[in-house]
Amino acid sequence: MLIILTGLPSVGKSTFSKKLAEILNKLGIDVIVLGSDMLRESFPAWRESYEEFIRKNTLYLIENALKEYWVIVDDTNYYNSMRRDLINIAKKNEKNYAIIYLRAPLNTLLQRNVKRGEKIPNEVIVEMYKKFDEPGRKYRWDEPFLTVDTTKEIDYYEIAMRLIEKSKKKDEKVRDRVENSISKDYSIINEIDKETRKIVGEYIKRIKPKNKEIDRIIKLRKRFIKNLKNEEDIDVSKAIIEFKRLLEEEG
Ligand code: ADP
Ligand code: MG
């Protein structure tokens, strides 16, 4: 089972992860807490250029761990795209998942942040608070299984029991979800197929290539669609941009 925490800095995610993991462990579950801070803090300094490595390898670690253990993701998971990447890992491995949204008033976050040395400036947290993508507001798949107010007492035992219950109901639901996502991917590919045909048509009209060139362009498009079918979680607009770029470069 994949437990995806989400919440702003200082809300109490690391504290929550540790305590929940302890209780789950006592209940006989092999569980590991993973998060991008582990890798981030392994660099002697922070650079933006490290972030892509950190993101990719945190996901890689999570995926491998999930094959054997329950995983608690101790991260802000600020954007719904981050939560979506994690959910896709769960789906791909046919595991259940639960989003747990930790929340607290801004003042509490700022006070806790100052208390632990304000490694992140308070202004940054204020900005994040304003822009935070509340889980589940836009998409159903993003709805939290639980919302926890960290200014109140947290009943870890109750939470652990609810997670265990959910993990047992897993199979049917996950199969459903995987099937849904497969049929959704299919319609996405259809859309991209149509869209790229149109783009090729316009390109040929504009550039007026020779017949041999046209063949090559048609093959390029076919290969693009074929490769797309092997991809997880396809984004129509990204794929179109990618195709246009390919066409300009290789067409
Ligand atoms: P995060 O991982 O979300 O950044 P932490 O778990 O590191 O947050 O907690 C931030 C600070 O808030 C720490 O000093 C911690 O002791 C405190 N804290 C965490 N959870 C609670 C809670 N439920 N009640 C009061 N203080 C908390
Ligand atoms: Mg933390």
Side-chain angles (χ1 to χ4, degrees):
M1 167 126 192
L2 183 65
I3 300 165
I4 303 165
L5 300 191
T6 179
L8 293 170
S10 282
V11 75
K13 297 177 300 294
S14 300
T15 310
F16 181 90
S17 301
K18 222 169 138 196
K19 290 194 181 153
L20 181 63
E22 276 164 19
I23 300 249
L24 286 169
N25 176 61
K26 279 196 192 130
L27 294 169
I29 288 162
D30 292 315
V31 58
I32 180 171
V33 178
L34 293 172
S36 59
D37 274 346
M38 286 180 355
L39 288 176
R40 198 170 284 113
E41 283 163 11
S42 300
F43 288 101
W46 181 83
R47 294 210 170 91
E48 173 59 39
S49 57
Y50 302 155
E51 281 299 316
E52 182 54 18
F53 172 90
I54 292 168
R55 191 190 66 83
K56 264 194 346 224
N57 286 284
T58 305
L59 289 175
Y60 175 82
L61 258 174
I62 289 169
E63 179 160 9
N64 279 326
L66 192 61
K67 295 182 204 291
E68 307 200 28
Y69 312 120
W70 279 35
V71 177
I72 301 175
V73 183
D74 172 17
D75 249 318
T76 316
N77 292 314
Y78 187 70
Y79 295 109
N80 61 46
S81 62
M82 294 170 176
R83 302 189 289 272
R84 190 200 53 211
D85 287 345
L86 290 164
I87 290 169
N88 281 334
I89 287 177
K91 282 186 192 165
K92 192 171 143 207
N93 291 281
E94 296 192 30
K95 304 286 184 191
N96 204 346
Y97 69 86
I99 295 174
I100 301 184
Y101 172 35
L102 303 187
R103 59 185 306 172
L106 180 59
N107 265 340
T108 308
L109 301 180
L110 299 180
Q111 278 163 16
R112 287 183 190 166
N113 186 47
V114 168
K115 220 161 129 194
R116 69 169 174 183
E118 215 179 329
K119 264 189 286 179
I120 303 173
N122 265 356
E123 300 88 83
V124 173
I125 297 187
V126 172
E127 279 312 301
M128 288 176 88
Y129 190 92
K130 281 195 220 151
K131 286 191 208 141
F132 186 60
D133 227 351
E134 285 227 331
R137 230 189 43 202
K138 279 198 202 138
Y139 308 107
R140 280 224 55 192
W141 55 260
D142 197 29
E143 269 167 24
F145 175 64
L146 290 172
T147 298
V148 176
D149 179 342
T150 67
T151 59
K152 305 220 170 90
E153 186 156 0
I154 300 171
D155 188 343
Y156 289 98
Y157 183 78
E158 153 93 22
I159 293 173
M161 293 313 280
R162 288 190 58 183
L163 288 167
I164 290 170
E165 199 184 317
K166 181 170 167 72
S167 78
K168 285 182 182 150
K169 280 195 222 144
K170 166 191 109 181
D171 291 345
E172 278 166 64
K173 270 202 187 154
V174 168
R175 219 175 302 128
D176 258 19
R177 253 188 247 134
V178 169
E179 273 163 18
N180 276 342
S181 75
I182 288 169
S183 62
K184 191 165 143 257
D185 281 355
Y186 185 74
S187 73
I188 285 175
I189 288 189
N190 261 345
E191 194 180 334
I192 296 170
D193 189 69
K194 257 203 314 220
E195 211 42 50
T196 51
R197 275 175 203 276
K198 221 163 64 192
I199 293 168
V200 164
E202 281 159 12
Y203 182 82
I204 289 174
K205 238 202 245 159
R206 178 162 59 91
I207 306 286
K208 301 191 177 61
K210 297 204 178 73
N211 280 349
K212 227 170 85 189
E213 287 300 298
I214 293 179
D215 273 355
R216 216 168 57 80
I217 291 165
I218 288 171
K219 278 191 190 134
L220 185 80
R221 196 197 72 88
K222 280 194 179 147
R223 205 167 54 232
F224 179 81
I225 297 289
K226 198 170 151 214
N227 288 340
L228 211 58
K229 287 180 182 161
N230 298 325
E231 275 186 31
E232 287 277 317
D233 189 34
I234 305 157
D235 183 303
V236 176
S237 45
K238 266 196 215 152
I240 300 297
I241 291 168
E242 174 64 19
F243 180 71
K244 283 186 181 157
R245 193 189 56 77
L246 194 75
L247 196 61
E248 292 301 330
E249 276 176 15
E250 294 186 29

